[in-house]
Each structure stands twice: as structure tokens, then as C-alpha cells.
mmCIF file of all heavy atoms in Angstrom:
data_model
loop_
_atom_site.group_PDB
_atom_site.id
_atom_site.type_symbol
_atom_site.label_atom_id
_atom_site.label_comp_id
_atom_site.label_asym_id
_atom_site.label_seq_id
_atom_site.Cartn_x
_atom_site.Cartn_y
_atom_site.Cartn_z
ATOM 1 N N LYS A 1439 76.926 60.972 43.669
ATOM 2 C CA LYS A 1439 75.923 59.972 43.301
ATOM 3 C C LYS A 1439 75.912 58.777 44.251
ATOM 4 O O LYS A 1439 74.874 58.143 44.445
ATOM 5 C CB LYS A 1439 76.180 59.475 41.872
ATOM 6 C CG LYS A 1439 75.917 60.515 40.795
ATOM 7 C CD LYS A 1439 76.212 59.924 39.417
ATOM 8 C CE LYS A 1439 75.965 60.945 38.319
ATOM 9 N NZ LYS A 1439 76.287 60.378 36.970
ATOM 10 N N ILE A 1440 77.074 58.450 44.823
ATOM 11 C CA ILE A 1440 77.142 57.221 45.614
ATOM 12 C C ILE A 1440 77.315 57.445 47.108
ATOM 13 O O ILE A 1440 77.081 56.519 47.893
ATOM 14 C CB ILE A 1440 78.253 56.292 45.098
ATOM 15 C CG1 ILE A 1440 79.635 56.948 45.221
ATOM 16 C CG2 ILE A 1440 77.996 55.875 43.670
ATOM 17 C CD1 ILE A 1440 80.773 56.002 44.867
ATOM 18 N N PHE A 1441 77.706 58.653 47.529
ATOM 19 C CA PHE A 1441 77.825 58.949 48.951
ATOM 20 C C PHE A 1441 76.773 59.963 49.360
ATOM 21 O O PHE A 1441 76.592 60.986 48.693
ATOM 22 C CB PHE A 1441 79.220 59.491 49.288
ATOM 23 C CG PHE A 1441 80.334 58.526 49.006
ATOM 24 C CD1 PHE A 1441 81.371 58.859 48.158
ATOM 25 C CD2 PHE A 1441 80.345 57.269 49.587
ATOM 26 C CE1 PHE A 1441 82.399 57.976 47.889
ATOM 27 C CE2 PHE A 1441 81.366 56.365 49.316
ATOM 28 C CZ PHE A 1441 82.398 56.721 48.478
ATOM 29 N N ASP A 1442 76.071 59.683 50.455
ATOM 30 C CA ASP A 1442 74.959 60.528 50.874
ATOM 31 C C ASP A 1442 74.909 60.583 52.392
ATOM 32 O O ASP A 1442 74.389 59.675 53.050
ATOM 33 C CB ASP A 1442 73.638 59.973 50.316
ATOM 34 C CG ASP A 1442 72.457 60.894 50.559
ATOM 35 O OD1 ASP A 1442 72.568 61.837 51.367
ATOM 36 O OD2 ASP A 1442 71.398 60.669 49.943
ATOM 37 N N ASN A 1443 75.488 61.635 52.966
ATOM 38 C CA ASN A 1443 75.435 61.859 54.409
ATOM 39 C C ASN A 1443 75.910 60.632 55.194
ATOM 40 O O ASN A 1443 75.286 60.188 56.157
ATOM 41 C CB ASN A 1443 74.004 62.227 54.835
ATOM 42 C CG ASN A 1443 73.955 62.804 56.235
ATOM 43 O OD1 ASN A 1443 74.923 63.430 56.710
ATOM 44 N ND2 ASN A 1443 72.849 62.590 56.927
ATOM 45 N N GLY A 1444 77.053 60.104 54.772
ATOM 46 C CA GLY A 1444 77.634 58.953 55.459
ATOM 47 C C GLY A 1444 77.227 57.608 54.889
ATOM 48 O O GLY A 1444 77.824 56.584 55.224
ATOM 49 N N TRP A 1445 76.210 57.600 54.040
ATOM 50 C CA TRP A 1445 75.739 56.358 53.439
ATOM 51 C C TRP A 1445 76.382 56.149 52.076
ATOM 52 O O TRP A 1445 76.586 57.091 51.321
ATOM 53 C CB TRP A 1445 74.224 56.381 53.272
ATOM 54 C CG TRP A 1445 73.481 56.311 54.564
ATOM 55 C CD1 TRP A 1445 72.998 57.365 55.296
ATOM 56 C CD2 TRP A 1445 73.143 55.134 55.301
ATOM 57 N NE1 TRP A 1445 72.389 56.923 56.426
ATOM 58 C CE2 TRP A 1445 72.453 55.547 56.462
ATOM 59 C CE3 TRP A 1445 73.344 53.761 55.091
ATOM 60 C CZ2 TRP A 1445 71.980 54.648 57.405
ATOM 61 C CZ3 TRP A 1445 72.874 52.869 56.034
ATOM 62 C CH2 TRP A 1445 72.198 53.310 57.171
ATOM 63 N N TRP A 1446 76.664 54.890 51.765
ATOM 64 C CA TRP A 1446 77.167 54.500 50.450
ATOM 65 C C TRP A 1446 76.064 53.769 49.702
ATOM 66 O O TRP A 1446 75.507 52.781 50.192
ATOM 67 C CB TRP A 1446 78.378 53.587 50.589
ATOM 68 C CG TRP A 1446 78.806 52.912 49.319
ATOM 69 C CD1 TRP A 1446 79.360 53.494 48.226
ATOM 70 C CD2 TRP A 1446 78.712 51.510 49.021
ATOM 71 N NE1 TRP A 1446 79.624 52.553 47.263
ATOM 72 C CE2 TRP A 1446 79.231 51.328 47.719
ATOM 73 C CE3 TRP A 1446 78.250 50.400 49.734
ATOM 74 C CZ2 TRP A 1446 79.300 50.075 47.115
ATOM 75 C CZ3 TRP A 1446 78.307 49.162 49.134
ATOM 76 C CH2 TRP A 1446 78.828 48.999 47.844
ATOM 77 N N ARG A 1447 75.739 54.276 48.511
ATOM 78 C CA ARG A 1447 74.734 53.639 47.664
ATOM 79 C C ARG A 1447 75.438 52.588 46.803
ATOM 80 O O ARG A 1447 76.244 52.926 45.940
ATOM 81 C CB ARG A 1447 74.045 54.681 46.782
ATOM 82 C CG ARG A 1447 73.267 55.742 47.567
ATOM 83 C CD ARG A 1447 72.696 56.790 46.637
ATOM 84 N NE ARG A 1447 71.964 57.830 47.345
ATOM 85 C CZ ARG A 1447 70.655 57.804 47.596
ATOM 86 N NH1 ARG A 1447 69.941 56.771 47.157
ATOM 87 N NH2 ARG A 1447 70.069 58.782 48.238
ATOM 88 N N SER A 1448 75.116 51.349 47.020
ATOM 89 C CA SER A 1448 75.884 50.260 46.425
ATOM 90 C C SER A 1448 75.601 50.026 44.948
ATOM 91 O O SER A 1448 76.471 49.547 44.222
ATOM 92 C CB SER A 1448 75.595 48.958 47.181
ATOM 93 O OG SER A 1448 74.265 48.526 46.925
ATOM 94 N N GLY A 1449 74.368 50.309 44.497
ATOM 95 C CA GLY A 1449 73.982 49.912 43.152
ATOM 96 C C GLY A 1449 73.631 48.438 43.076
ATOM 97 O O GLY A 1449 73.300 47.927 42.003
ATOM 98 N N ASP A 1450 73.685 47.750 44.217
ATOM 99 C CA ASP A 1450 73.294 46.342 44.287
ATOM 100 C C ASP A 1450 71.842 46.236 44.734
ATOM 101 O O ASP A 1450 71.369 47.013 45.568
ATOM 102 C CB ASP A 1450 74.175 45.577 45.277
ATOM 103 C CG ASP A 1450 75.570 45.345 44.751
ATOM 104 O OD1 ASP A 1450 75.729 45.271 43.526
ATOM 105 O OD2 ASP A 1450 76.503 45.244 45.568
ATOM 106 N N GLN A 1451 71.175 45.259 44.212
ATOM 107 C CA GLN A 1451 69.792 45.002 44.585
ATOM 108 C C GLN A 1451 69.767 43.854 45.584
ATOM 109 O O GLN A 1451 70.451 42.839 45.400
ATOM 110 C CB GLN A 1451 68.973 44.648 43.343
ATOM 111 C CG GLN A 1451 67.477 44.639 43.577
ATOM 112 C CD GLN A 1451 66.719 44.872 42.278
ATOM 113 O OE1 GLN A 1451 67.089 45.752 41.504
ATOM 114 N NE2 GLN A 1451 65.680 44.111 42.057
ATOM 115 N N GLY A 1452 68.992 44.017 46.669
ATOM 116 C CA GLY A 1452 68.988 42.984 47.688
ATOM 117 C C GLY A 1452 67.780 43.024 48.592
ATOM 118 O O GLY A 1452 66.906 43.885 48.475
ATOM 119 N N VAL A 1453 67.760 42.070 49.525
ATOM 120 C CA VAL A 1453 66.674 41.914 50.487
ATOM 121 C C VAL A 1453 67.286 41.641 51.848
ATOM 122 O O VAL A 1453 68.226 40.852 51.967
ATOM 123 C CB VAL A 1453 65.754 40.734 50.096
ATOM 124 C CG1 VAL A 1453 64.725 40.471 51.186
ATOM 125 C CG2 VAL A 1453 65.061 41.000 48.769
ATOM 126 N N LEU A 1454 66.752 42.288 52.885
ATOM 127 C CA LEU A 1454 67.099 41.960 54.270
ATOM 128 C C LEU A 1454 65.947 41.162 54.870
ATOM 129 O O LEU A 1454 64.786 41.582 54.774
ATOM 130 C CB LEU A 1454 67.311 43.228 55.098
ATOM 131 C CG LEU A 1454 68.670 43.909 55.063
ATOM 132 C CD1 LEU A 1454 68.612 45.238 55.801
ATOM 133 C CD2 LEU A 1454 69.748 43.029 55.691
ATOM 134 N N ASP A 1455 66.250 40.020 55.483
ATOM 135 C CA ASP A 1455 65.165 39.280 56.125
ATOM 136 C C ASP A 1455 64.964 39.784 57.557
ATOM 137 O O ASP A 1455 65.654 40.700 58.022
ATOM 138 C CB ASP A 1455 65.411 37.774 56.067
ATOM 139 C CG ASP A 1455 66.572 37.296 56.941
ATOM 140 O OD1 ASP A 1455 67.056 38.064 57.802
ATOM 141 O OD2 ASP A 1455 66.993 36.138 56.761
ATOM 142 N N GLU A 1456 64.020 39.206 58.258
ATOM 143 C CA GLU A 1456 63.671 39.681 59.599
ATOM 144 C C GLU A 1456 64.793 39.481 60.603
ATOM 145 O O GLU A 1456 64.825 40.141 61.641
ATOM 146 C CB GLU A 1456 62.401 38.979 60.068
ATOM 147 C CG GLU A 1456 61.158 39.374 59.262
ATOM 148 C CD GLU A 1456 59.902 38.716 59.777
ATOM 149 O OE1 GLU A 1456 60.011 37.835 60.665
ATOM 150 O OE2 GLU A 1456 58.807 39.074 59.291
ATOM 151 N N ASP A 1457 65.731 38.575 60.307
ATOM 152 C CA ASP A 1457 66.860 38.320 61.211
ATOM 153 C C ASP A 1457 68.086 39.145 60.858
ATOM 154 O O ASP A 1457 69.135 38.999 61.490
ATOM 155 C CB ASP A 1457 67.218 36.832 61.194
ATOM 156 C CG ASP A 1457 66.090 35.956 61.721
ATOM 157 O OD1 ASP A 1457 65.447 36.361 62.711
ATOM 158 O OD2 ASP A 1457 65.836 34.892 61.131
ATOM 159 N N GLY A 1458 67.966 40.000 59.824
ATOM 160 C CA GLY A 1458 69.076 40.853 59.448
ATOM 161 C C GLY A 1458 70.032 40.268 58.447
ATOM 162 O O GLY A 1458 71.077 40.864 58.150
ATOM 163 N N TYR A 1459 69.712 39.100 57.883
ATOM 164 C CA TYR A 1459 70.562 38.516 56.854
ATOM 165 C C TYR A 1459 70.287 39.194 55.511
ATOM 166 O O TYR A 1459 69.122 39.401 55.139
ATOM 167 C CB TYR A 1459 70.308 37.013 56.719
ATOM 168 C CG TYR A 1459 70.896 36.191 57.838
ATOM 169 C CD1 TYR A 1459 70.125 35.819 58.937
ATOM 170 C CD2 TYR A 1459 72.233 35.788 57.793
ATOM 171 C CE1 TYR A 1459 70.664 35.059 59.971
ATOM 172 C CE2 TYR A 1459 72.784 35.032 58.819
ATOM 173 C CZ TYR A 1459 71.996 34.667 59.904
ATOM 174 O OH TYR A 1459 72.534 33.927 60.923
ATOM 175 N N LEU A 1460 71.360 39.536 54.804
ATOM 176 C CA LEU A 1460 71.240 40.215 53.525
ATOM 177 C C LEU A 1460 71.384 39.210 52.383
ATOM 178 O O LEU A 1460 72.299 38.389 52.370
ATOM 179 C CB LEU A 1460 72.330 41.285 53.397
ATOM 180 C CG LEU A 1460 72.401 42.048 52.071
ATOM 181 C CD1 LEU A 1460 71.134 42.855 51.823
ATOM 182 C CD2 LEU A 1460 73.626 42.970 52.048
ATOM 183 N N TYR A 1461 70.474 39.320 51.413
ATOM 184 C CA TYR A 1461 70.506 38.474 50.224
ATOM 185 C C TYR A 1461 70.613 39.378 49.003
ATOM 186 O O TYR A 1461 69.773 40.253 48.802
ATOM 187 C CB TYR A 1461 69.237 37.623 50.124
ATOM 188 C CG TYR A 1461 69.077 36.646 51.268
ATOM 189 C CD1 TYR A 1461 68.545 37.067 52.484
ATOM 190 C CD2 TYR A 1461 69.473 35.323 51.133
ATOM 191 C CE1 TYR A 1461 68.412 36.184 53.548
ATOM 192 C CE2 TYR A 1461 69.339 34.429 52.186
ATOM 193 C CZ TYR A 1461 68.802 34.865 53.397
ATOM 194 O OH TYR A 1461 68.676 33.986 54.435
ATOM 195 N N LEU A 1462 71.650 39.169 48.198
ATOM 196 C CA LEU A 1462 71.845 39.978 47.001
ATOM 197 C C LEU A 1462 71.093 39.380 45.823
ATOM 198 O O LEU A 1462 71.080 38.163 45.630
ATOM 199 C CB LEU A 1462 73.335 40.080 46.664
ATOM 200 C CG LEU A 1462 74.216 40.777 47.717
ATOM 201 C CD1 LEU A 1462 75.658 40.795 47.231
ATOM 202 C CD2 LEU A 1462 73.730 42.185 48.009
ATOM 203 N N GLN A 1463 70.484 40.256 45.032
ATOM 204 C CA GLN A 1463 69.725 39.826 43.866
ATOM 205 C C GLN A 1463 70.434 40.198 42.560
ATOM 206 O O GLN A 1463 69.924 39.931 41.483
ATOM 207 C CB GLN A 1463 68.330 40.474 43.884
ATOM 208 C CG GLN A 1463 67.588 40.294 45.195
ATOM 209 C CD GLN A 1463 67.282 38.838 45.491
ATOM 210 O OE1 GLN A 1463 66.929 38.083 44.601
ATOM 211 N NE2 GLN A 1463 67.414 38.435 46.748
ATOM 212 N N GLY A 1464 71.590 40.843 42.667
ATOM 213 C CA GLY A 1464 72.343 41.229 41.478
ATOM 214 C C GLY A 1464 72.536 42.738 41.413
ATOM 215 O O GLY A 1464 72.040 43.487 42.247
ATOM 216 N N ARG A 1465 73.290 43.166 40.427
ATOM 217 C CA ARG A 1465 73.513 44.589 40.207
ATOM 218 C C ARG A 1465 72.306 45.216 39.538
ATOM 219 O O ARG A 1465 71.696 44.632 38.638
ATOM 220 C CB ARG A 1465 74.738 44.791 39.309
ATOM 221 C CG ARG A 1465 76.061 44.492 39.972
ATOM 222 C CD ARG A 1465 76.450 45.523 40.974
ATOM 223 N NE ARG A 1465 76.548 46.860 40.393
ATOM 224 C CZ ARG A 1465 76.734 47.956 41.120
ATOM 225 N NH1 ARG A 1465 76.786 47.894 42.425
ATOM 226 N NH2 ARG A 1465 76.831 49.129 40.518
ATOM 227 N N LEU A 1466 71.957 46.407 39.961
ATOM 228 C CA LEU A 1466 70.869 47.122 39.303
ATOM 229 C C LEU A 1466 71.208 47.372 37.837
ATOM 230 O O LEU A 1466 70.349 47.287 36.966
ATOM 231 C CB LEU A 1466 70.604 48.455 40.021
ATOM 232 C CG LEU A 1466 70.012 48.331 41.430
ATOM 233 C CD1 LEU A 1466 70.068 49.675 42.135
ATOM 234 C CD2 LEU A 1466 68.583 47.824 41.382
ATOM 235 N N ASP A 1467 72.486 47.653 37.550
ATOM 236 C CA ASP A 1467 72.864 47.914 36.166
ATOM 237 C C ASP A 1467 73.214 46.644 35.401
ATOM 238 O O ASP A 1467 73.576 46.693 34.244
ATOM 239 C CB ASP A 1467 74.017 48.921 36.082
ATOM 240 C CG ASP A 1467 75.213 48.528 36.934
ATOM 241 O OD1 ASP A 1467 75.217 47.402 37.470
ATOM 242 O OD2 ASP A 1467 76.137 49.329 37.060
ATOM 243 N N ASP A 1468 73.102 45.460 36.037
ATOM 244 C CA ASP A 1468 73.233 44.186 35.331
ATOM 245 C C ASP A 1468 71.873 43.679 34.875
ATOM 246 O O ASP A 1468 71.779 42.633 34.233
ATOM 247 C CB ASP A 1468 73.849 43.110 36.248
ATOM 248 C CG ASP A 1468 75.343 43.310 36.450
ATOM 249 O OD1 ASP A 1468 75.955 44.065 35.672
ATOM 250 O OD2 ASP A 1468 75.881 42.719 37.396
#
């Protein structure tokens, strides 16, 4: 469920801006 061809699915909700900064919006299950 959480590993997919080298990728880890975090379950976290977030946004990447145009400069590559990541902003977390909280847990999907929260």
C-alpha cells in the first residue's frame, strides 16, 4: 500500500510551489 516502484506514499497532504518548497496540509487520515 505504501511502497510503489521505489516511491513511498506518505499519506500526507501537501503542496509543492514553483520553487520546489513543500508545504504540508496535514494527514489525509487526520
Side-chain angles (χ1 to χ4, degrees):
K1439 291 180 180 179
I1440 62 174
F1441 298 123
D1442 187 346
N1443 194 29
W1445 290 95
W1446 168 69
R1447 297 176 181 268
S1448 70
D1450 287 332
Q1451 192 156 316
V1453 173
L1454 276 173
D1455 69 13
E1456 293 182 352
D1457 296 320
Y1459 285 96
L1460 177 63
Y1461 297 82
L1462 297 180
Q1463 309 296 320
R1465 288 288 302 172
L1466 292 168
D1467 53 8
D1468 285 344

